[in-house]
Amino acid sequence: MTAPWRPCSVGDMMKDIDTPALVVDLDSLESNINKMSKIVEENYPNVKIRPHCKTHKCPNIAHMQMNSGAVGFCCQTITETDALVNAGINDIFISNQIIGLRKIRRVVGLAKIANISLCVDDADNVRDIDTVAGDLGIKMDVVVEVHVGAYRCGVNPGEPVAELAQLITELPNVNFKGLHCYQGRNQHQRKEGDRKKEVENVVALVKQSLEALSKRGIPCEYITGGGTGSFKYEASSTTFTEIQPGSYVFMDVDYGKNLNTDGSFYNEFKNSLYVLSTVQSKGTNPNRVVVDAGMKALSVDSGVPLLKDFPSITYNIGGDEHGVLTKMVDGEQMPKEIDELKVGDIIRLIPGHCDPTVNMHDWIIGLRGDKVECIWPVAGRGPGV
Ligand code: PLP
Ligand code: MN
């Protein structure tokens, strides 16, 4: 396989980057990373930050977060875990079930060289991990995932949690580390009050599970969960010991729609991630400008991107390789900014959803102002292997 094409060189200006390309504004990225550390240090000093790698899949950014006080990382896939271990990051919680002996052998193998914990919600899967860990001569830390309202993975709170934890304590090659309690659906509830209330529900379910554990005499000092939309509530709960925010490093259009209590937009963290796209055609229709970033360059599962520099222009999906810029609202005149755009111009698109957008790109290009300062591989890219 030939190496992926590099769309620019360090020292190039933004206008010289081949598009579509994924870029990060380094000043905003650094500000977001420092802000998260500051909020947690100042307000929740007993809570640790274990950021999620799924957002950037990029060891360079992971190191920036580690340098800013993160205790380690969450990964969702083995490919992400490989990328971070290869880059020397030594404390990783895989916050997703690893199923089948083949995959389990890969992660237990990694656990021989790095501190890795696994997420479980199934007794047979726990037995498989125990067997492989025994074969490889190590003891694996496992964390029980609790279903706290996201209707995805996890055992039900209370007794089922204690039952699985009990099995773990009885097996020789696995160690019960604690509980994974992530309520993913809560992150994008628009109203801050709703997100806060939902975390209260989550905490009640965690407490119910802790009581069931305590009745069996099983100690539990590790509770992890929470994302960019809700982390303050998990962090202030006095129940969670760790938070797992991911998107705060980049933000996206969808997160930009979350609201604060006073109804203002949640803008504690800045948009730092853009897809650069070139105007490739204006055709002869004055109401249409075609750019070269379509569904292969931008994830549209949470809505279309916004134009950073032309907020009155709408991006419409134009297919796999195209976006079509048009007027904002039917019946209105084309915003006059669109006339300013010429074939060959580059625009910055704020992705609708940052994580799957990053996964489409080989490189994250770091910009300081308009200048390329670094080009980072998205080393943990992949569909989820
Ligand atoms: N933890 C888990 C288990 C996740 O699946 C995710 C994202 O989907 C996160 C943390 C990070 O959430 P966010 O990107 O909303 O900060
Ligand atoms: Mn996401």
Side-chain angles (χ1 to χ4, degrees):
M1 197 179 85
T2 51
W5 176 255
R6 276 189 187 228
C8 60
S9 303
V10 168
D12 283 352
M13 301 308 287
M14 183 170 79
K15 66 179 178 38
D16 299 318
I17 298 173
D18 287 349
T19 64
L22 189 70
V23 301
V24 67
D25 177 75
L26 293 168
D27 289 341
S28 304
L29 174 70
E30 288 162 6
S31 151
N32 290 343
I33 291 173
N34 293 335
K35 187 142 195 199
M36 177 60 80
S37 303
K38 194 163 181 273
I39 293 172
V40 175
E41 264 165 38
E42 286 179 0
N43 301 288
Y44 322 108
N46 299 323
V47 173
K48 309 254 185 329
I49 309 174
R50 179 183 296 277
H52 214 299
C53 172
K54 60 177 285 169
T55 307
H56 51 66
K57 296 169 175 269
C58 175
N60 305 70
I61 298 178
H63 277 299
M64 291 167 73
Q65 291 166 287
M66 292 298 288
N67 292 342
S68 183
V71 285
F73 263 81
C74 284
C75 287
Q76 209 75 340
T77 69
I78 310 180
T79 314
E80 291 166 7
T81 312
D82 262 329
L84 293 194
V85 170
N86 288 343
I89 289 177
N90 187 44
D91 185 342
I92 295 166
F93 166 48
I94 306 183
S95 53
N96 202 6
Q97 284 69 17
I98 301 295
I99 302 301
L101 290 173
R102 214 176 122 99
K103 283 189 177 180
I104 293 171
R105 282 193 200 102
R106 272 178 74 198
V107 293
V108 176
L110 281 175
K112 291 194 94 167
I113 54 169
N115 178 6
I116 298 200
S117 48
L118 299 180
C119 170
V120 296
D121 65 1
D122 178 78
D124 284 340
N125 180 231
V126 169
R127 291 190 190 96
D128 282 348
I129 295 167
D130 180 68
T131 305
V132 174
D135 289 348
L136 296 191
I138 62 170
K139 191 153 183 165
M140 281 301 292
D141 277 339
V142 294
V143 178
V144 171
E145 177 163 8
V146 187
H147 164 38
V148 287
Y151 293 90
R152 203 165 59 183
C153 306
V155 291
N156 282 343
E159 205 38 43
V161 170
E163 216 168 279
L164 191 59
Q166 172 101 43
L167 170 70
I168 294 163
T169 61
E170 287 164 3
L171 292 171
N173 308 306
V174 282
N175 172 51
F176 173 65
K177 183 175 175 188
L179 303 178
H180 173 51
C181 307
Y182 175 71
Q183 209 312 18
R185 283 152 64 121
N186 190 31
Q187 305 309 316
H188 294 270
Q189 291 211 77
R190 296 304 174 213
K191 290 187 186 158
E192 186 172 19
D194 291 344
R195 295 195 297 279
K196 184 170 186 233
K197 210 163 155 209
E198 182 57 26
V199 174
E200 286 165 13
N201 295 338
V202 169
V203 168
L205 300 173
V206 176
K207 286 188 172 154
Q208 195 185 323
S209 307
L210 288 173
E211 269 168 37
L213 286 167
S214 151
K215 273 192 199 138
R216 293 181 190 233
I218 302 171
C220 179
E221 283 165 5
Y222 176 75
I223 315 278
T224 184
T228 301
S230 72
F231 73 93
K232 286 184 185 170
Y233 307 116
E234 276 93 354
S236 61
S237 67
T238 69
T239 305
F240 279 78
T241 59
E242 191 178 273
I243 53 166
Q244 315 174 347
S247 300
Y248 74 100
V249 292
F250 295 150
M251 301 305 277
D252 53 28
V253 175
D254 195 15
Y255 253 125
K257 291 179 186 161
N258 274 15
L259 302 172
N260 297 313
T261 319
D262 64 3
S264 59
F265 285 108
Y266 177 63
N267 60 0
E268 199 141 37
F269 302 101
K270 303 174 185 174
N271 284 308
S272 67
L273 189 77
Y274 304 102
V275 170
L276 294 187
S277 185
T278 302
V279 175
Q280 72 174 69
S281 164
K282 286 189 89 169
T284 49
N285 185 330
N287 286 338
R288 204 167 62 224
V289 169
V290 180
V291 296
D292 68 356
M295 288 188 294
K296 288 181 183 167
L298 284 153
S299 166
V300 292
D301 64 294
S302 304
V304 291
L306 284 179
L307 278 75
K308 165 76 174 164
D309 306 300
F310 301 95
S312 62
I313 299 176
T314 304
Y315 173 101
N316 304 274
I317 300 165
D320 294 347
E321 292 88 9
H322 301 103
V324 181
L325 309 183
T326 56
K327 59 191 170 192
M328 198 80 178
V329 184
D330 276 352
E332 265 186 21
Q333 289 303 305
M334 205 62 176
K336 70 175 180 333
E337 292 97 318
I338 213 150
D339 294 331
E340 293 170 20
L341 289 173
K342 301 182 300 297
V343 170
D345 282 356
I346 286 186
I347 58 164
R348 292 188 291 175
L349 295 165
I350 307 168
H353 188 180
C354 56
D355 321 56
T357 297
V358 170
N359 198 42
M360 294 178 186
H361 293 264
D362 293 308
W363 309 102
I364 299 174
I365 299 163
L367 290 174
R368 189 74 65 185
D370 276 355
K371 202 168 186 180
V372 175
E373 184 171 297
C374 48
I375 305 172
W376 294 326
V378 185
R381 260 190 93 177
V385 181

